[in-house]
DNA sequence: TCTGAAATCGACATCTA
DNA sequence: TAGATGTCGATTTCAGA
């Protein structure tokens, strides 16, 4: 991971569809050389992929919340993942330090739908309680790493 | 926002560098027709842009935390944004319902750096307290919306 | 549909450990 | 001298009008 690769990543974060030629102009390389570096970074997993950044409200996802999960006793990470990944509205799950066992990011179309999702999450037998923070507004977000 | 546009978005979420021609094959449109639709969605802000998905550890960002902020009295959203956007390790800020006033996503290179960032966030005069959840592991995450 | 531009791939040159 | 990395030219594919 040298300085040139970091610069290529910086450019691709800002514009994921930048042409290899255009990137090459900025880092003083030919298009094939840029492509080779990008292919390597993808193969090594440093670049996980490319994606569009969508305005959630354009898809009708108007309600967003972060939910802390508190379990009774220990819960396996694999168990968490298995249970939660089946819920489409769950867009991210992290295990964390502190009081809570896990943090879940939920996107829903309405408050009612959010309520249903939280109820579904709570239905796990080992669940002790949940603690939700509904997003009022996204103040800012940098390009995802 | 018809079904075809949703399908185009679905494809672009999975592969942000998919060619218009390849997309067209999947949605039964010509490449120019797809481009016209994508351009429109970008112009309307439904597609905010395109980006690479980077493995944070490849850039040395090994430590990640979500921090709840509790203020004394009211704090303007603009004030929050002004203060926090100057800290590079702060990658996202949301104002939320519940006990906390705001939720901050922090990415740092080490626990020591994370500590420094939290101390910096705490230095605001109106800050009452913070509550941090350090990410132990990312169990899964869907393509960002 | 058409034209110019870009991506892609192979072959070869260069630098370095 | 082997491995990594670069350029160049030919061909295919794509973007944009």
């Amino acid at each position: 991971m040298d300085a040139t690769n970091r610069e290529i990543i910086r450019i691709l974060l800002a514009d994921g569809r930048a042409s290899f030629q255009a990137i090459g102009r900025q880092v003083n390389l030919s298009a094939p050389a840029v492509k080779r570096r990008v292919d390597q970074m993808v193969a090594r997993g440093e670049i996980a992929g490319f994606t569009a950044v969508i305005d959630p409200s354009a898809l009708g996802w108007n309600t967003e919340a972060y939910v802390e999960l508190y379990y009774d006793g220990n819960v396996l990470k694999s168990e968490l993942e298995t249970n939660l990944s089946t819920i489409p509205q769950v867009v991210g799950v992290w295990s964390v330090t502190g009081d809570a066992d896990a943090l879940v990011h939920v996107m829903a179309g309405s408050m009612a739908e959010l309520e249903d999702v939280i109820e579904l999450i709570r239905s796990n037998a080992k669940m002790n309680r949940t603690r939700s923070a509904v997003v009022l507004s996204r103040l800012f977000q940098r390009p995802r790493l």
Side-chain angles (χ1 to χ4, degrees), chain A:
Chain A
M1 176 58 61
D2 61 3
T4 302
N5 276 5
R6 285 178 193 280
E7 180 67 8
I8 290 172
I9 284 177
R10 195 191 60 72
I11 294 167
L12 285 174
L13 280 173
D15 177 11
R17 286 180 79 89
S19 73
F20 294 131
Q21 199 164 92
I23 297 169
R25 275 194 294 272
Q26 296 185 60
V27 299
N28 294 317
L29 284 177
S30 66
V34 173
K35 176 179 161 45
R36 182 184 292 176
R37 281 171 175 269
V38 171
D39 286 348
Q40 282 173 355
M41 287 191 280
V42 170
R44 284 195 295 259
E46 295 165 1
I47 297 177
F50 298 91
T51 191
V53 182
I54 304 299
D55 175 7
S57 66
L59 293 176
W61 301 78
N62 299 305
T63 309
E64 181 179 4
Y66 284 88
V67 183
E68 292 179 344
L69 307 187
Y70 297 78
Y71 287 91
D72 287 319
N74 282 345
V75 171
L76 291 174
K77 289 197 299 183
S78 59
E79 195 178 344
L80 270 177
E81 190 173 344
T82 306
N83 291 336
L84 295 170
S85 63
T86 59
I87 306 174
Q89 293 89 345
V90 171
V91 296
V93 179
W94 303 266
S95 67
V96 295
T97 65
D99 306 336
D101 297 299
L103 183 64
V104 178
H105 186 191
V106 179
M107 300 276 290
S110 65
M111 203 55 88
E113 185 184 346
L114 177 62
E115 198 177 353
D116 291 343
V117 171
I118 292 174
E119 193 165 347
L120 187 58
I121 293 173
R122 276 188 177 139
S123 67
N124 184 295
K126 290 182 178 174
M127 183 70 65
N128 181 313
R129 68 190 184 90
T130 63
R131 176 172 177 268
S132 301
V134 176
V135 171
L136 294 171
S137 68
R138 178 179 303 210
L139 298 183
F140 85 86
Q141 187 156 24
R142 292 190 213 282
R144 176 206 231 171
L145 293 181

